[in-house]
Amino acid sequence: MTEPATPKRTLTSQELSWILYDVANSAFALTVVTTVMPIFFSSVAEADGLTPQRATALWGYTNSVASVVLAVSAPVLGTLADYPGNKRRMFIGFFAVGLLMCVLFSTIGLGQWRYAMALSVLAFIGYAGANLFYDAFLPDVVQGDDPSRLDTISTYGYAWGYIGSILPFGVALVFILNPDLVGGTLNATRLSFIITAVWWAGFTIPMLRNVRQTHTIAPAPNPLRSTGRRLMGTLRHVRDNRNVLIFLLAYFFYIDGVGTIYKMAAIYGAEIGLEQSSLITAILVVQIVAFPFALLFGWLSAKVGPKTMLLVGICIYFVIVSIGFFIPVLPAGQQVPAFWGMAMLVGSAQGGIQALSRSFFGSLIPPERAGEFYGIYNIFGKFAAILGPLLLAIMADLTGASRYGVLSIAVLFFIGGVLLLFVRRDEPAVGVHTS
């Protein structure tokens, strides 16, 4: 007798809609966080007489300020999100802020770097805040107790996000590389932000229609007071749960390196003299390479375990950091190929390490407290996102050469990798109260 197909191999409507939001927000990540906006910001700042090094530093400060704001607010926001219906409402609010700022990017003029910084801070807060609640929806959309299913859906999100973001970015790239089609480079850049906003909004619709919060805690008469008590209790239990605490510390260090490379690569490449077309094309290749490798990381994690694959990703980033450190001192003819090599390696590891970090943490925590715990997860992620860009900014200001900040990134990967060795997935969080 033939056994029926295993249901878990078929994506549910909630899982598919959740994955599609990664497709939606990845357009913002690629255009605004990684490529067009950093390069555009550099040209905006230089139009007001600032040096390329100063532009790099200001962009680092912009990222750091946004990360501080979200890191401070994330645990409270995440704790509030666990009450019925709050996760969806808070997701919509932050998404709307990020989307509006993305549209307003199209109003930035050359020399208006202060205005660009202000919009960018708000945009990053909206984008990252929406992602906090999006991540916290993962235990809601993945039903059952199989942790490998969390890995699978999480890697699907990153994988399809990478390949999906290529479409709007590719359209924008046509205008950026052929600015005469729309009356100049400034218009082409502004149009890229509008295209990104439309894509982001369109692919968010399934998430808004189909994804619901299934794991909640009981409503409280005074949610704010109860939130404070719950948050303090959870922080104590995080301290008492060895695996959760060690994983968060490891994540703090290695994701700092990942985020710094992700946010600063384009403007760093511009600083060392790479052409805009080379920068954008290389980062486009990253998206293409990341698609199969994110899926590969998910598949291999089912064979050898997610922790092993996280360590593999960290090792790849050691190589990336080494290449990044030496690129500025290479002969001019070798800098572009080296940057391309670094881009290919980033594509091979970036999606996998982010997706498996998200699902690995999800398997350690109680699902009904996902918002609360992912709020704490975001504390570590966002404070980590402060350190790397800030170090690069300080080193750029002090030495006039951003490459020396890369050395600190290597140390962060090393510390994160060592700490990760001591985490066990079969010891989930215990002793968490529900009120």
Side-chain angles (χ1 to χ4, degrees), residues 147-179:
S148 67
R149 184 63 174 175
L150 292 172
D151 297 332
T152 298
I153 299 303
S154 187
T155 52
Y156 276 8
Y158 271 102
W160 287 105
Y162 281 123
I163 202 68
S165 65
I166 291 175
L167 296 177
F169 182 68
V171 174
L173 192 61
V174 170
F175 296 111
I176 290 172
L177 298 181
N178 301 277

Side-chain angles (χ1 to χ4, degrees), residues 8 104 107 115 142-143 149 188 211 214 371 381 395 433:
K8 75 173 188 176
L104 290 178
T107 66
Y115 178 51
V142 178
Q143 302 298 317
R149 184 63 174 175
V211 175
T214 58
M395 294 304 292
H433 301 298

Side-chain angles (χ1 to χ4, degrees), residues 52-114:
Q53 291 76 21
R54 183 59 179 161
T56 299
L58 288 172
W59 190 246
Y61 294 137
T62 299
N63 280 279
S64 294
V65 168
S67 296
V68 167
V69 172
L70 196 68
V72 170
S73 60
V76 176
L77 295 172
T79 305
L80 283 170
D82 287 326
Y83 292 110
N86 278 5
K87 197 180 295 183
R88 173 182 168 83
R89 286 190 287 267
M90 298 172 85
F91 167 80
I92 292 173
F94 278 88
F95 158 69
V97 169
L99 185 67
L100 176 60
M101 295 305 108
C102 188
V103 172
L104 290 178
F105 283 150
S106 64
T107 66
I108 297 172
L110 294 177
Q112 296 179 323
W113 57 269
R114 294 177 184 85

Side-chain angles (χ1 to χ4, degrees), residues 2 47 76 95 128 140 143 161 169 182 189 194 251 302 308 329 335 398:
T2 303
V76 176
F95 158 69
D140 293 304
Q143 302 298 317
F169 182 68
V182 289
T189 303
I194 298 298
Y251 177 73
T308 298
V329 298
Q335 288 184 350
L398 292 179

Side-chain angles (χ1 to χ4, degrees), residues 41 51-64 117 264 267 271 389-390 392-397 402:
F41 180 82
T51 65
Q53 291 76 21
R54 183 59 179 161
T56 299
L58 288 172
W59 190 246
Y61 294 137
T62 299
N63 280 279
S64 294
M117 286 182 70
M264 302 299 291
I267 199 165
E271 176 188 330
L390 187 59
L392 279 179
I394 292 172
M395 294 304 292
D397 275 340
S402 302

Side-chain angles (χ1 to χ4, degrees), residues 307-323:
K307 186 171 79 172
T308 298
M309 294 310 301
L310 286 172
L311 291 169
V312 169
I314 289 172
C315 290
I316 293 173
Y317 269 100
F318 265 108
V319 178
I320 293 168
V321 166
S322 300
I323 295 173

Side-chain angles (χ1 to χ4, degrees), residues 5 23 42 65 112 132 179 193 196 213 217-218 233 243 265 273 278 281 288 344 349 351:
V23 174
S42 184
V65 168
Q112 296 179 323
L132 186 164
F193 299 134
T196 299
Q213 183 177 358
I217 62 171
N243 275 318
S278 295
T281 305
I288 298 173
M344 296 287 286

